[in-house]
Amino acid sequence: MEADRLIAWDAELRAVHARLRQSLAIARAAVLEGDGDAAPGAGALRDAAAAASADLLLYCTGFCVALDGHHRSEDAGLFPALVADHPELRPVVGKLVQDHSMLSHLLLQFRGAMESGADRGALERHLEGIAAIMESHFRYEERELLGPLSTLRSAATASELLGPLA
């Protein structure tokens, strides 16, 4: 029976966090490589800059969408299911939802910086801030929720509870 299937939600959460960390690393690499220091002719430099800009936008937008989608799925699906099984986790979930809101704000600022053509240094600073909050959030979430998640039973799919990278 479908509702009786058991997903190791703790392992799924760790796997999603690992993919989000990898996605952030790719976005950081795109910012670092988006420098355009090469010295070919003007046309080649313009083409290389356009390609680097497109890669930056692709990787950074992908990271933003994945992280935001993960948090929206947790807020709408995972956290209510978890609190239903473990009402004592309500304060922990409240803090995690606050973190999600803060990260959403940081992602919006980062997107705005990308869209306005901010320089590499500014983009790096945005990503550093996001990375610091994201890592602190992931560690807290894993410390507080992995035990309860190991016993969670849900008929939902991993992507419904953990987002697009599940």
Side-chain angles (χ1 to χ4, degrees), residues 60-73:
C60 292
T61 301
F63 164 70
C64 290
V65 167
L67 183 60
D68 191 57
H70 168 63
H71 290 158
R72 288 179 188 273
S73 294

Side-chain angles (χ1 to χ4, degrees), residues 6-135:
L6 183 62
I7 294 177
W9 291 108
D10 55 332
E12 288 287 333
L13 180 66
R14 277 192 294 241
V16 168
H17 285 176
R19 286 192 278 285
L20 286 165
R21 287 177 177 115
Q22 290 170 340
S23 182
L24 174 61
I26 291 167
R28 282 178 153 166
V31 167
L32 293 174
E33 293 169 5
D35 200 16
D37 284 338
L45 182 58
R46 189 172 45 252
D47 291 345
S53 178
D55 286 348
L56 173 65
L57 190 59
L58 174 69
Y59 296 134
C60 292
T61 301
F63 164 70
C64 290
V65 167
L67 183 60
D68 191 57
H70 168 63
H71 290 158
R72 288 179 188 273
S73 294
E74 283 183 331
D75 291 350
L78 180 65
F79 291 164
L82 197 53
V83 168
D85 282 358
H86 300 277
E88 71 279 6
L89 290 175
R90 197 169 264 110
V92 170
V93 167
K95 182 188 178 330
L96 292 169
V97 169
Q98 281 182 320
D99 286 355
H100 291 176
S101 178
M102 182 185 337
L103 281 161
S104 179
H105 178 72
L106 293 173
L107 291 172
L108 283 172
Q109 289 180 327
F110 178 57
R111 286 181 192 145
M114 280 192 309
E115 291 169 3
S116 70
D119 66 25
R120 184 180 79 157
L123 295 177
E124 284 180 290
R125 286 188 296 278
H126 280 285
L127 283 177
E128 285 299 317
I130 292 167
I133 301 299
M134 185 181 92
E135 192 58 40

